[in-house]
Tab-separated table of all heavy atoms in Angstrom:
chain	number	residue	atom	x	y	z
U	203	HIS	N	-1.423	0.194	6.790
U	203	HIS	CA	-1.687	-0.472	8.067
U	203	HIS	C	-2.348	-1.849	7.952
U	203	HIS	O	-2.610	-2.496	8.957
U	203	HIS	CB	-2.531	0.436	8.979
U	203	HIS	CG	-3.920	0.639	8.475
U	203	HIS	ND1	-4.353	1.835	7.973
U	203	HIS	CD2	-4.968	-0.202	8.367
U	203	HIS	CE1	-5.616	1.723	7.594
U	203	HIS	NE2	-6.020	0.488	7.820
U	204	ALA	N	-2.635	-2.328	6.726
U	204	ALA	CA	-3.239	-3.662	6.580
U	204	ALA	C	-2.335	-4.710	7.245
U	204	ALA	O	-1.118	-4.717	7.027
U	204	ALA	CB	-3.411	-3.986	5.104
U	205	ALA	N	-2.949	-5.568	8.035
U	205	ALA	CA	-2.180	-6.515	8.849
U	205	ALA	C	-1.163	-7.343	8.050
U	205	ALA	O	-0.041	-7.563	8.527
U	205	ALA	CB	-3.139	-7.422	9.611
U	206	PRO	N	-1.481	-7.814	6.835
U	206	PRO	CA	-0.472	-8.618	6.133
U	206	PRO	C	0.762	-7.819	5.698
U	206	PRO	O	1.761	-8.412	5.294
U	206	PRO	CB	-1.230	-9.136	4.894
U	206	PRO	CG	-2.674	-9.023	5.241
U	206	PRO	CD	-2.773	-7.830	6.131
U	207	LEU	N	0.694	-6.504	5.770
U	207	LEU	CA	1.805	-5.688	5.277
U	207	LEU	C	2.728	-5.181	6.372
U	207	LEU	O	3.788	-4.643	6.080
U	207	LEU	CB	1.262	-4.477	4.498
U	207	LEU	CG	0.374	-4.792	3.303
U	207	LEU	CD1	-0.096	-3.512	2.634
U	207	LEU	CD2	1.124	-5.663	2.301
U	208	VAL	N	2.307	-5.313	7.614
U	208	VAL	CA	3.122	-4.774	8.706
U	208	VAL	C	3.682	-5.912	9.555
U	208	VAL	O	3.219	-7.050	9.475
U	208	VAL	CB	2.312	-3.788	9.582
U	208	VAL	CG1	1.954	-2.550	8.781
U	208	VAL	CG2	1.062	-4.442	10.143
U	209	ALA	N	4.690	-5.567	10.373
U	209	ALA	CA	5.506	-6.602	11.003
U	209	ALA	C	4.859	-7.277	12.214
U	209	ALA	O	5.170	-8.427	12.509
U	209	ALA	CB	6.852	-5.998	11.399
U	210	THR	N	3.998	-6.573	12.923
U	210	THR	CA	3.483	-7.135	14.171
U	210	THR	C	1.962	-7.033	14.255
U	210	THR	O	1.346	-6.174	13.628
U	210	THR	CB	4.084	-6.390	15.391
U	210	THR	OG1	3.760	-5.015	15.283
U	210	THR	CG2	5.593	-6.571	15.465
U	211	THR	N	1.380	-7.924	15.062
U	211	THR	CA	-0.062	-7.880	15.305
U	211	THR	C	-0.418	-6.622	16.091
U	211	THR	O	-1.426	-5.967	15.827
U	211	THR	CB	-0.492	-9.132	16.100
U	211	THR	OG1	-0.052	-10.292	15.386
U	211	THR	CG2	-1.988	-9.187	16.302
U	212	ILE	N	0.417	-6.312	17.092
U	212	ILE	CA	0.203	-5.121	17.912
U	212	ILE	C	0.759	-3.904	17.175
U	212	ILE	O	1.909	-3.906	16.733
U	212	ILE	CB	0.928	-5.270	19.274
U	212	ILE	CG1	0.362	-6.472	20.050
U	212	ILE	CG2	0.822	-3.984	20.087
U	212	ILE	CD1	-1.083	-6.326	20.468
U	213	ARG	N	-0.070	-2.889	17.058
U	213	ARG	CA	0.359	-1.674	16.349
U	213	ARG	C	0.944	-0.671	17.347
U	213	ARG	O	0.352	-0.451	18.417
U	213	ARG	CB	-0.868	-1.079	15.653
U	213	ARG	CG	-0.574	0.109	14.778
U	213	ARG	CD	-1.797	0.477	13.954
U	213	ARG	NE	-1.587	1.759	13.284
U	213	ARG	CZ	-2.449	2.331	12.463
U	213	ARG	NH1	-3.594	1.744	12.200
U	213	ARG	NH2	-2.183	3.495	11.901
U	214	PRO	N	2.065	-0.045	17.023
U	214	PRO	CA	2.618	0.953	17.954
U	214	PRO	C	1.627	2.100	18.177
U	214	PRO	O	0.983	2.565	17.229
U	214	PRO	CB	3.874	1.466	17.238
U	214	PRO	CG	4.199	0.456	16.204
U	214	PRO	CD	2.905	-0.204	15.828
U	215	LEU	N	1.533	2.559	19.418
U	215	LEU	CA	0.610	3.653	19.748
U	215	LEU	C	0.936	4.912	18.950
U	215	LEU	O	0.029	5.644	18.522
U	215	LEU	CB	0.707	3.960	21.246
U	215	LEU	CG	0.339	2.817	22.196
U	215	LEU	CD1	0.755	3.162	23.622
U	215	LEU	CD2	-1.146	2.529	22.126
U	216	THR	N	2.220	5.132	18.730
U	216	THR	CA	2.667	6.343	18.035
U	216	THR	C	2.081	6.448	16.635
U	216	THR	O	1.962	7.541	16.085
U	216	THR	CB	4.212	6.338	17.940
U	216	THR	OG1	4.746	6.052	19.235
U	216	THR	CG2	4.765	7.657	17.464
U	217	THR	N	1.699	5.301	16.036
U	217	THR	CA	1.265	5.312	14.643
U	217	THR	C	-0.226	5.602	14.464
U	217	THR	O	-0.697	5.645	13.327
U	217	THR	CB	1.571	3.965	13.953
U	217	THR	OG1	0.783	2.937	14.582
U	217	THR	CG2	3.046	3.620	14.038
U	218	TYR	N	-0.972	5.787	15.594
U	218	TYR	CA	-2.407	6.036	15.390
U	218	TYR	C	-3.123	6.749	16.528
U	218	TYR	O	-4.209	7.309	16.318
U	218	TYR	CB	-3.130	4.693	15.170
U	218	TYR	CG	-3.249	3.813	16.393
U	218	TYR	CD1	-4.412	3.814	17.154
U	218	TYR	CD2	-2.213	2.990	16.790
U	218	TYR	CE1	-4.534	3.012	18.281
U	218	TYR	CE2	-2.327	2.185	17.903
U	218	TYR	CZ	-3.484	2.197	18.644
U	218	TYR	OH	-3.580	1.413	19.763
U	219	LEU	N	-2.554	6.776	17.716
U	219	LEU	CA	-3.378	7.123	18.874
U	219	LEU	C	-3.789	8.593	18.956
U	219	LEU	O	-4.877	8.901	19.426
U	219	LEU	CB	-2.648	6.711	20.160
U	219	LEU	CG	-3.516	6.659	21.394
U	219	LEU	CD1	-4.610	5.615	21.256
U	219	LEU	CD2	-2.685	6.385	22.641
U	220	ASN	N	-2.925	9.503	18.507
U	220	ASN	CA	-3.215	10.906	18.818
U	220	ASN	C	-3.345	11.802	17.589
U	220	ASN	O	-3.022	12.977	17.628
U	220	ASN	CB	-2.145	11.465	19.756
U	220	ASN	CG	-0.761	11.345	19.170
U	220	ASN	OD1	-0.587	10.743	18.106
U	220	ASN	ND2	0.210	11.918	19.851
U	221	PHE	N	-3.807	11.237	16.489
U	221	PHE	CA	-4.094	12.090	15.326
U	221	PHE	C	-5.245	11.480	14.538
U	221	PHE	O	-5.636	10.336	14.768
U	221	PHE	CB	-2.849	12.263	14.445
U	221	PHE	CG	-2.310	10.986	13.856
U	221	PHE	CD1	-2.798	10.485	12.656
U	221	PHE	CD2	-1.300	10.286	14.508
U	221	PHE	CE1	-2.297	9.309	12.121
U	221	PHE	CE2	-0.794	9.107	13.980
U	221	PHE	CZ	-1.293	8.608	12.778
U	222	SER	N	-5.741	12.253	13.609
U	222	SER	CA	-6.847	11.775	12.792
U	222	SER	C	-6.312	10.785	11.746
U	222	SER	O	-5.597	11.174	10.833
U	222	SER	CB	-7.490	12.984	12.098
U	222	SER	OG	-8.417	12.551	11.160
U	223	GLU	N	-6.671	9.514	11.901
U	223	GLU	CA	-6.150	8.473	10.988
U	223	GLU	C	-6.743	8.593	9.595
U	223	GLU	O	-6.164	8.122	8.619
U	223	GLU	CB	-6.512	7.090	11.517
U	223	GLU	CG	-5.746	6.629	12.719
U	223	GLU	CD	-6.295	5.282	13.154
U	223	GLU	OE1	-5.910	4.265	12.549
U	223	GLU	OE2	-7.132	5.256	14.078
U	224	PHE	N	-7.943	9.179	9.515
U	224	PHE	CA	-8.628	9.314	8.226
U	224	PHE	C	-8.896	10.787	7.946
U	224	PHE	O	-9.188	11.553	8.871
U	224	PHE	CB	-9.965	8.559	8.238
U	224	PHE	CG	-9.818	7.100	8.539
U	224	PHE	CD1	-9.962	6.632	9.840
U	224	PHE	CD2	-9.521	6.193	7.537
U	224	PHE	CE1	-9.815	5.280	10.132
U	224	PHE	CE2	-9.375	4.843	7.817
U	224	PHE	CZ	-9.518	4.383	9.119
U	225	THR	N	-8.827	11.140	6.686
U	225	THR	CA	-9.149	12.501	6.284
U	225	THR	C	-10.291	12.447	5.281
U	225	THR	O	-10.205	11.727	4.283
U	225	THR	CB	-7.921	13.176	5.636
U	225	THR	OG1	-6.874	13.256	6.608
U	225	THR	CG2	-8.263	14.575	5.142
U	226	SER	N	-11.338	13.210	5.558
U	226	SER	CA	-12.464	13.297	4.614
U	226	SER	C	-12.451	14.690	4.017
U	226	SER	O	-12.940	15.645	4.624
U	226	SER	CB	-13.789	13.053	5.334
U	226	SER	OG	-13.772	11.792	5.957
U	227	GLY	N	-11.844	14.797	2.864
U	227	GLY	CA	-11.692	16.107	2.239
U	227	GLY	C	-10.873	15.972	0.982
U	227	GLY	O	-11.196	15.155	0.122
U	228	GLY	N	-9.807	16.741	0.894
U	228	GLY	CA	-8.986	16.681	-0.313
U	228	GLY	C	-7.509	16.716	0.011
U	228	GLY	O	-7.101	17.217	1.068
U	229	SER	N	-6.720	16.170	-0.890
U	229	SER	CA	-5.262	16.267	-0.731
U	229	SER	C	-4.631	16.508	-2.091
U	229	SER	O	-5.065	15.965	-3.106
U	229	SER	CB	-4.688	15.015	-0.080
U	229	SER	OG	-4.719	13.918	-0.966
U	230	LEU	N	-3.600	17.346	-2.084
U	230	LEU	CA	-2.829	17.611	-3.294
U	230	LEU	C	-1.500	16.890	-3.129
U	230	LEU	O	-0.800	17.080	-2.125
U	230	LEU	CB	-2.609	19.119	-3.446
U	230	LEU	CG	-2.013	19.573	-4.769
U	230	LEU	CD1	-2.916	19.183	-5.943
U	230	LEU	CD2	-1.797	21.082	-4.756
U	231	ASN	N	-1.185	16.035	-4.084
U	231	ASN	CA	-0.024	15.143	-3.945
U	231	ASN	C	1.003	15.415	-5.036
U	231	ASN	O	0.651	15.497	-6.222
U	231	ASN	CB	-0.475	13.682	-4.086
U	231	ASN	CG	-1.458	13.279	-3.013
U	231	ASN	OD1	-1.129	12.573	-2.087
U	231	ASN	ND2	-2.700	13.743	-3.141
Side-chain angles (χ1 to χ4, degrees):
Chain U
H203 68 250
L207 302 180
V208 294
T210 58
T211 305
I212 299 295
R213 185 170 170 178
L215 299 168
T216 311
T217 65
Y218 71 97
L219 196 63
N220 58 354
F221 61 87
S222 171
E223 287 176 81
F224 302 95
T225 297
S226 302
S229 72
L230 189 60
N231 298 255

